[in-house]
C-alpha cells in the first residue's frame, strides 16, 4: 500500500521521494515536472517497473534519516541474522566553476555494515507515464534504458549481470550506482561519487548556516526550508507547488491534482518564507521567472499557474497506465486551473517582488524598470479587482467576486505606492495610494457581514473561509480591529475539525470537503497570535508539528478522523506555514538564551 512517509532529495533540477525501506518511489525526469521514471507512489509497483530498491534478504527493520542539515538521506536495513547495510541517496549539488552544478543525476551508495548481506538490486524505471517498460541494454559497467523521448544510464561498480537480471548476491564491499543522462561516465566512479557526496553535504551545510532561523523548532524549520528549496527549478526560477501529482486530498476522492507547476500564489508564499529566513536567492531567481511570464502575456491577463518552463502547455489529461495512489485514480498530467480566472495573482506577483526594492543586502536591487513592469501588473489588478473569478480555492463551477482576490488587488496597489515612495516618485505613489483606498472602501462595503459579525468570502452567497485569516497579515486591517478579531473567532468555531481547519465548510464542485487543509491551520495559529491568544497558537503549532511524517515533511491535507496525511507532498504551502508560524511564535534568541527564560 502506498504511503506518504517519504523523504525528499533533489538539487534544483530533479527530485526523488524515498520510502522508509530505501525504495525510490517517485522521481520525474529529466526535471521535476517530467515523466515519472519511478512511480511506485502512484501504483507503478508491478514487476514491470516504477521503482529503484535494494532488498536485503530477511529484512526485519529499517530506519531512515537525513544527514543533518542536508538533502542527503541514509537508510539502514537489518535482517533477522543481524546483517546490516546502509543506503545513501542524494542528487549532486555544489559550486563548480563559479556556478551551481545540479545535473539530472541520482547517486546511490550501498555499504555493508555487519554480517553477510545478501541483496537484490531492483532498478526498474518505466517511461511514458507507465506505458513503456524498457529492457536494459548492458555495457561493461553500465546499463542503458531507452524511451521515446530520452534514455537513462545507470553506471555502477557492481557486477552488471546481478543488477540487470536482478539476481541476489552478497554485498561484500561498498558499491555505487549513478543514474543519469545517457552519457559515458568519464571519471572514476567510486571516487567521483565520494567527492560528489562530500561537496553536496558541504553545500547544504553552508546554505543552512546562513539561514536566520528561530530559537525554537530549529530542526523543523531547517527541514522545511530545504524542502522548499527542492521545489525550485533553478534553470528558469519557477517554483512547483509540490513534487508529486494526483495524491488525492481524501480517500477515494477525485480531488487529485497535478501540483508540479508554478502557481503565482503558492510561489509568493514560498518566496516570502525563504526571505524570512534570509534565503533571498530564490526570490531573485523567481523575479527572473516572472519577467518571462509577464512578457509572454501581451494582454496583461495572467493565468494562475504556469509550467516551470513558461510557454509549455498545461492541458490536463489522464495517464491510464498508472492506477493512482492506493489505486485511487485517475492520475492527472497538467492542470486545468491554468484556464481559470483567478484574480489574486496580480497581487501575489507584486508582493513577491516588493522586497527587491527594500532589502539593501541584495546585489541587484529593484529599479525603475522593474517598477514599471510591476505597474503593468498593478493596472490589471485594478481592472480585475471586482471581476468574478474562481478564487484561490480554484472552484471550477462557480464564479463570484471573492474577498481574497479583491484584497490582493488592494495589496498590489498598496505595495506599488510604497515602492514608488522608495524610488522617490511622489506622483506614482499618490496614484497607487488612491487606487488602494478606492478598492479597500469597496471591499469593506460588501465583505463585512453585520449579521455574522465576520468578514465573508464573496459579495454574493458569502460564507466563512479560512483565507479571511490573512486580512491582518496582508495589512488590510489591523490585528486589533474588532471586525478581524470576531472573524478569527468565527472561523475557529465554524471550520475546526478535530483540532485542524478546513478551507471552508460548504459544498463545492465535488461535494463536501473531507479533510483539513494544512496551511489553513497554520494561518489560524498565526491569527490567534495576532489577536493575543499566543498560548493557543503555540498549542496548535505543536499539534501541527506532530502531523509531520518521520522525515519531517507535510503534505497538503490531514484526515479529520485518522489524522493521516493526504494530498501531494511535500506541499510548499504547508512547509511555508510551518516556517512562517515558527518565526512568529518562537521565543527570541535573547529571551531564550541570554535571559535564560
Amino acid at each position: 500500500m502506498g504511503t506518504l512517509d517519504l523523504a525528499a532529495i533533489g538539487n534544483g533540477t530533479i527530485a526523488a521521494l524515498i520510502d522508509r525501506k530505501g525504495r525510490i518511489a517517485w522521481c520525474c525526469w529529466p526535471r521535476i515536472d517530467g515523466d515519472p521514471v519511478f512511480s511506485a507512489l502512484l501504483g507503478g509497483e508491478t514487476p514491470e517497473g516504477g521503482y529503484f530498491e535494494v532488498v536485503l534478504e530477511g529484512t526485519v527493520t529499517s530506519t531512515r534519516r537525513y544527514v543533518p542539515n542536508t538533502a542527503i538521506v541514509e537508510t539502514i536495513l537489518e535482517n533477522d541474522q543481524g546483517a546490516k547495510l546502509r543506503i545513501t541517496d542524494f542528487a549532486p549539488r555544489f559550486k563548480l566553476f563559479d556556478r551551481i552544478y545540479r545535473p539530472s543525476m541520482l547517486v546511490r551508495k550501498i555499504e555493508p555494515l555487519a554480517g553477510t548481506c545478501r541483496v537484490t538490486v531492483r532498478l526498474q524505471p518505466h517511461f511514458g507515464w507507465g506505458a513503456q517498460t524498457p529492457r536494459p541494454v548492458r555495457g561493461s559497467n553500465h546499463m542503458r534504458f531507452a524511451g521515446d523521448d530520452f534514455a537513462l544510464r545507470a553506471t555502477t561498480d557492481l557486477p552488471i549481470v546481478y543488477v540487470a537480471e536482478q539476481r541476489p548476491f552478497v554485498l561484500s564491499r561498498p558499491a555505487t550506482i549513478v543514474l543519469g543522462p545517457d552519457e559515458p561516465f568519464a571519471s572514476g566512479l567510486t571516487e567521483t561519487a565520494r567527492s560528489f557526496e562530500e561537496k553536496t553535504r558541504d553545500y547544504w551545510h553552508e546554505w543552512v548556516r546562513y539561514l536566520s532561523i528561530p530559537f525554537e523548532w530549529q530542526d523543523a524549520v531547517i527541514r522545511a526550508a530545504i524542502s522548499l528549496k527542492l521545489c525550485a527549478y533553478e534553470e528558469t526560477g519557477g517554483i512547483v507547488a509540490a513534487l508529486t501529482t494526483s495524491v488525492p486530498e481524501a480517500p477515494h476522492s477525485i480531488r487529485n491534482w497535478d501540483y508540479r507547476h508554478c502557481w503565482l500564489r503558492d510561489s509568493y508564499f514560498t518566496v516570502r518564507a525563504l526571505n524570512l529566513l534570509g534565503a533571498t536567492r530564490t526570490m531573485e531567481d523567481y523575479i527572473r521567472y516572472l519577467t518571462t511570464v509577464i512578457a509572454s502575456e501581451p494582454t496583461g491577463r495572467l493565468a494562475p499557474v504556469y509550467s516551470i518552463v513558461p510557454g509549455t502547455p498545461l492541458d490536463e489529461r489522464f495517464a491510464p497506465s498508472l492506477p493512482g495512489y492506493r489505486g485511487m485514480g485517475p492520475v492527472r498530467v497538467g492542470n486545468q486551473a491554468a484556464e481559470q480566472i483567478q484574480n489574486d495573482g496580480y497581487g501575489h506577483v507584486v508582493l513577491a517582488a516588493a522586497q527587491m526594492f527594500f532589502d539593501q543586502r541584495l546585489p541587484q536591487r529593484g529599479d525603475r524598470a522593474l517598477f514599471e513592469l510591476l505597474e503593468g501588473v498593478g493596472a490589471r489588478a485594478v481592472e480585475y479587482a471586482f471581476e468574478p473569478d474562481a478564487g484561490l480555492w480554484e472552484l471550477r463551477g462557480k464564479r463570484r467576486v471573492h474577498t481574497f482576490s479583491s484584497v490582493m488587488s488592494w495589496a498590489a496597489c498598496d505595495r506599488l505606492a510604497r515602492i514608488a515612495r522608495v524610488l522617490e516618485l511622489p506622483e506614482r505613489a499618490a496614484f497607487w495610494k488612491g487606487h488602494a483606498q478606492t478598492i479597500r472602501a469597496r471591499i469593506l462595503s460588501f465583505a463585512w457581514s453585520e449579521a455574522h459579525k465576520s468578514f465573508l468570502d464573496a459579495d454574493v452567497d458569502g460564507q466563512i473561509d479560512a483565507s479571511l485569516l490573512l486580512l491582518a497579515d496582508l495589512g488590510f486591517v489591523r490585528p486589533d480591529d474588532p471586525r478581524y478579531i470576531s472573524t478569527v473567532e468565527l472561523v475557529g468555531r465554524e471550520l475546526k475539525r478535530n483540532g485542524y481547519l478546513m478551507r471552508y465548510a460548504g459544498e463545492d464542485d465535488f461535494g463536501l470537503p473531507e479533510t483539513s487543509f494544512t496551511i489553513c491551520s497554520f494561518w489560524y495559529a498565526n491569527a490567534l497570535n495576532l489577536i493575543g491568544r499566543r498560548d493557543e497558537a503555540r498549542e496548535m503549532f505543536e499539534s501541527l508539528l506532530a502531523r509531520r511524517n518521520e522525515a519531517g515533511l507535510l503534505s497538503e491535507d490531514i484526515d479529520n478522523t485518522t489524522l493521516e496525511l493526504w494530498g501531494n507532498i511535500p506541499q510548499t504551502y504547508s512547509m511555508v506555514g510551518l516556517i512562517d508560524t515558527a518565526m512568529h511564535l518562537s521565543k527570541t534568541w535573547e529571551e531564550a538564551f541570554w535571559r535564560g527564560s
Side-chain angles (χ1 to χ4, degrees):
M1 181 176 73
T3 174
L4 295 187
D5 186 11
L6 302 163
I9 62 173
N11 62 4
T13 298
I14 62 167
L17 298 177
I18 300 168
D19 68 17
R20 290 192 76 254
K21 294 183 178 180
R23 178 178 61 167
I24 298 179
W26 182 258
C27 180
C28 296
W29 213 279
R31 61 188 199 218
I32 51 180
D33 67 340
D35 186 358
V37 294
F38 303 125
S39 61
L41 179 66
L42 297 185
E45 301 184 18
T46 66
E48 287 74 31
Y51 53 86
F52 183 6
E53 64 183 352
V54 178
V55 180
L56 173 63
E57 191 173 276
T59 296
V60 292
T61 63
S62 62
T63 58
R64 181 196 56 204
R65 70 161 195 137
Y66 279 105
V67 174
N69 297 351
T70 75
I72 301 172
V73 169
E74 292 182 347
T75 307
I76 305 292
L77 303 181
E78 186 171 1
N79 73 6
D80 50 9
Q81 301 298 312
K84 185 187 299 186
L85 64 81
R86 175 170 54 217
I87 307 167
T88 302
D89 289 297
F90 67 96
R93 179 182 175 85
F94 49 86
K95 293 181 181 178
L96 181 68
F97 304 128
D98 296 323
R99 57 185 182 268
I100 298 296
Y101 179 68
R102 41 174 172 73
S104 295
M105 179 184 293
L106 298 178
V107 178
R108 167 159 276 196
K109 185 172 68 176
I110 315 165
E111 303 169 88
L113 300 179
T116 301
C117 297
R118 191 166 187 261
V119 303
T120 304
V121 175
R122 294 175 178 160
L123 171 55
Q124 189 63 68
H126 60 192
F127 300 138
W129 288 84
Q132 304 170 27
T133 304
R135 297 301 176 191
V137 177
R138 303 184 206 177
S140 57
N141 298 104
H142 73 271
M143 297 185 301
R144 180 177 184 270
F145 300 89
D148 290 341
D149 299 319
F150 59 88
L152 298 177
R153 179 181 293 231
T155 305
T156 183
D157 49 12
L158 288 168
I160 283 294
V161 65
Y162 292 154
V163 182
E165 298 184 12
Q166 300 184 8
R167 303 288 186 183
F169 63 96
V170 173
L171 183 71
S172 57
R173 57 178 177 80
T176 301
I177 304 173
V178 174
L179 189 67
D182 185 25
E183 302 168 355
F185 206 86
S187 56
L189 180 67
T190 303
E191 178 58 28
T192 300
R194 185 204 60 77
S195 174
F196 279 12
E197 180 184 357
E198 180 179 294
K199 291 177 180 178
T200 299
R201 183 179 64 246
D202 290 347
Y203 168 85
W204 287 112
H205 284 171
E206 187 77 359
W207 188 79
V208 168
R209 179 183 179 187
Y210 290 102
L211 295 179
S212 301
I213 59 175
F215 181 82
E216 298 180 270
W217 310 300
Q218 293 183 33
D219 288 345
V221 169
I222 290 169
R223 182 52 48 204
I226 292 175
S227 300
L228 292 182
K229 187 72 171 171
L230 299 184
C231 291
Y233 181 64
E234 289 190 1
E235 187 168 342
T236 63
I239 304 168
V240 298
L243 295 175
T244 59
T245 177
S246 304
V247 181
E249 296 179 14
H252 304 287
S253 167
I254 61 171
R255 303 171 190 263
N256 57 346
W257 318 113
D258 187 351
Y259 278 6
R260 303 164 308 131
H261 310 298
C262 184
W263 272 259
L264 301 180
R265 174 174 53 251
D266 301 48
S267 299
Y268 156 68
F269 282 106
T270 297
V271 163
R272 190 182 77 159
L274 290 174
N275 285 351
L276 277 174
L277 299 173
T280 57
R281 182 59 182 267
T282 300
M283 172 183 65
E284 297 173 74
D285 290 342
Y286 180 58
I287 300 307
R288 172 168 53 87
Y289 173 85
L290 283 179
T291 59
T292 299
V293 165
I294 294 168
S296 70
E297 300 287 8
T299 67
R301 166 71 83 175
L302 296 178
V305 56
Y306 291 87
S307 166
I308 56 173
V309 179
T312 305
L314 293 183
D315 299 339
E316 192 170 292
R317 61 183 176 85
F318 296 150
S321 297
L322 294 175
Y325 182 72
R326 300 186 186 178
M328 301 175 192
V331 170
R332 301 177 193 263
V333 185
N335 200 299
Q336 188 182 330
E339 304 170 7
Q340 289 186 340
I341 301 297
Q342 296 178 34
N343 293 324
D344 60 301
Y346 305 98
H348 285 117
V349 167
V350 175
L351 266 62
Q355 187 164 330
M356 296 286 293
F357 296 88
F358 297 91
D359 193 333
Q360 296 189 24
R361 298 171 299 172
L362 301 178
Q364 185 173 348
R365 300 275 300 281
D367 56 12
R368 183 69 180 267
L370 179 57
F371 175 66
E372 290 175 354
L373 184 72
L374 295 177
E375 282 200 295
V377 176
R380 302 288 80 75
V382 173
E383 181 179 355
Y384 304 130
F386 300 102
E387 178 189 55
D389 72 349
L392 84 162
W393 305 128
E394 302 183 342
L395 303 176
R396 295 193 172 196
K398 185 177 183 180
R399 290 189 186 181
R400 295 180 294 168
V401 176
H402 285 93
T403 301
F404 182 78
S405 296
S406 298
V407 167
M408 290 309 301
S409 289
W410 164 84
C413 298
D414 177 76
R415 284 8 176 229
L416 285 168
R418 296 169 189 256
I419 294 169
R421 288 195 290 271
V422 169
L423 296 177
E424 299 181 349
L425 301 170
E427 292 184 2
R428 302 312 298 162
F431 175 84
W432 289 111
K433 182 178 179 180
H435 277 302
Q437 291 173 334
T438 299
I439 292 172
R440 184 175 187 274
R442 183 169 171 184
I443 294 171
L444 292 175
S445 72
F446 74 77
W448 173 255
S449 168
E450 190 64 31
H452 290 83
K453 298 295 181 184
S454 175
F455 290 104
L456 299 180
D457 74 327
D459 66 334
V460 177
D461 299 327
Q463 62 180 335
I464 305 303
D465 183 310
S467 66
L468 302 168
L469 297 168
L470 296 175
L471 296 182
D473 183 70
L474 290 166
F476 183 77
V477 294
R478 290 177 54 86
D480 59 0
D481 188 322
R483 295 171 297 182
Y484 179 68
I485 294 172
S486 62
T487 297
V488 173
E489 292 171 343
L490 185 60
V491 167
R493 290 196 300 271
E494 295 290 326
L495 299 185
K496 191 182 291 185
R497 303 287 188 275
N498 200 11
Y500 304 104
L501 255 69
M502 310 286 287
R503 288 170 287 187
Y504 42 81
E507 290 192 5
D508 58 21
D509 309 324
F510 305 99
L512 285 171
E514 302 173 57
T515 51
S516 299
F517 202 70
T518 304
I519 184 61
C520 297
S521 296
F522 285 115
W523 289 346
Y524 185 59
N526 272 321
L528 289 175
N529 183 51
L530 286 172
I531 65 174
R533 293 162 60 179
R534 188 175 182 84
D535 289 344
E536 292 176 67
R538 287 176 63 94
E539 182 180 356
M540 168 155 271
F541 181 65
E542 293 281 4
S543 176
L544 284 161
L545 289 182
R547 300 280 71 79
R548 294 175 300 152
N549 69 16
E550 289 189 5
L553 307 186
L554 284 165
S555 64
E556 183 181 45
D557 306 274
I558 298 171
D559 189 287
N560 290 331
T561 303
T562 67
L563 303 184
E564 182 182 6
L565 296 180
W566 286 86
N568 288 304
I569 192 170
Q571 177 73 10
T572 54
Y573 248 170
S574 301
M575 308 313 288
V576 160
L578 188 159
I579 292 171
D580 192 43
T581 311
M583 295 293 283
H584 287 98
L585 292 181
S586 173
K587 298 175 183 177
T588 67
W589 285 79
E590 182 182 22
E591 289 171 333
F593 186 68
W594 297 112
R595 295 177 185 173
S597 59

